[in-house]
Amino acid sequence: MKAVMATNNPNKLKEAREILAPLGIEVLSQQEAGAAVEPEENGETFADNAMIKAKAVFDVVHMPVFADDSGLCVDALHGAPGVHSARYAPKGQECDKLLREMQNVPDAERSAHFACCIAYIDENGSGTLSAACHGKIGYTQRGGNGFGYDPVFLYNGRTLAELSSDEKNAISHRGAALRLLYEVYQERYGKQDADK
Ligand code: ITT
């Protein structure tokens, strides 16, 4: 089957393809599907914003669509940047800003999690799915893979930017949420064949 990912973030699209293609789901970008939209993400929750993005694209393409709204929630910052993760700092400066804000936070209080909410819509209806990846914030940026906050997010002693794509996808918030999406698609469309 084909599904459109409602996102303008090429890193999210790449990860979704890596996870869903082997399961037999071909992920089209919203541009490939002819939906060049960028809706205002003015919801209060990840689920609200994911559904805003999914609906905006579904209204144009009328085929299965899913959207990912995600972010980093840092306990010492009372859950910030959370739903504002994309707007927390100019692109490329988010890790520097976070490390500055965390510079006086002791090791025991550096816990954080990535949250991912997937909203999906097709002719059978819509829903949302959530997953998280728990870890802690490091003291320096490490690793050259991934995107966003990956270089400062420690999972079992390595940052997500130090993991290969396969390693990140196996433990990430996005990987877990997309595997739940796969279950929904399997229920609705039957088992998919990666070779077709
Ligand atoms: P779309 O809305 O077009 O999908 P976006 O990047 O603006 O793209 P969000 O509004 O969901 O997406 O913001 C998510 C931000 O959270 C993202 O820009 C990163 O800064 C951060 N983020 C989410 N998942 C991440 C991950 O796996 N690794 C590192 N940072 C991540």
Side-chain angles (χ1 to χ4, degrees):
M1 67 171 289
K2 292 184 186 187
V4 181
M5 186 174 196
T7 183
N8 287 302
N9 182 329
N11 300 294
K12 287 185 182 178
L13 181 68
K14 174 178 171 283
E15 292 184 4
R17 284 180 166 153
E18 288 166 352
I19 293 160
L20 294 176
L23 298 173
I25 297 168
E26 185 183 339
V27 180
L28 305 181
S29 70
Q30 57 176 62
Q31 284 77 14
E32 284 165 339
V37 298
E38 200 162 348
E40 198 189 339
E41 294 177 39
N42 51 12
E44 284 182 10
T45 63
F46 293 115
D48 291 344
N49 285 333
M51 195 52 84
I52 288 169
K53 291 185 266 194
K55 273 202 178 110
V57 172
F58 182 74
D59 287 346
V60 179
V61 302
H62 300 290
M63 58 182 282
V65 171
F66 66 93
D68 159 320
D69 202 67
S70 44
L72 178 66
C73 306
V74 179
D75 294 333
L77 304 178
H78 311 287
V83 290
H84 305 295
S85 292
R87 292 160 271 169
Y88 173 68
K91 279 251 171 314
Q93 295 174 36
E94 55 277 77
C95 291
D96 289 325
K97 181 173 174 190
L98 183 63
L99 290 179
R100 260 197 321 275
E101 286 202 31
M102 294 288 288
Q103 63 189 351
N104 295 320
V105 177
D107 205 39
E109 292 166 29
R110 297 180 77 88
S111 53
H113 67 274
F114 274 115
C116 176
C117 180
I118 300 277
Y120 57 91
I121 315 185
D122 62 21
E123 58 188 6
N124 301 298
S126 63
T128 56
L129 304 160
S130 299
C133 174
H134 292 268
K136 57 201 279 194
I137 304 302
Y139 294 91
T140 54
Q141 299 192 41
R142 286 186 352 220
N145 301 329
F147 68 101
Y149 301 88
D150 283 345
V152 294
F153 186 89
L154 288 167
Y155 181 89
N156 280 348
R158 283 189 295 167
T159 70
L160 293 193
E162 291 178 306
L163 303 186
S164 68
S165 332
D166 283 353
E167 287 173 326
K168 178 180 173 185
N169 293 339
I171 55 92
S172 77
H173 48 310
R174 182 162 301 103
L178 287 169
R179 284 187 285 276
L180 294 176
L181 177 69
Y182 171 66
E183 286 177 21
V184 172
Y185 283 159
Q186 242 190 332
E187 271 170 32
R188 291 186 173 188
Y189 299 97
K191 192 164 162 34
Q192 301 300 307
D193 183 349
D195 299 327
K196 267 191 198 154

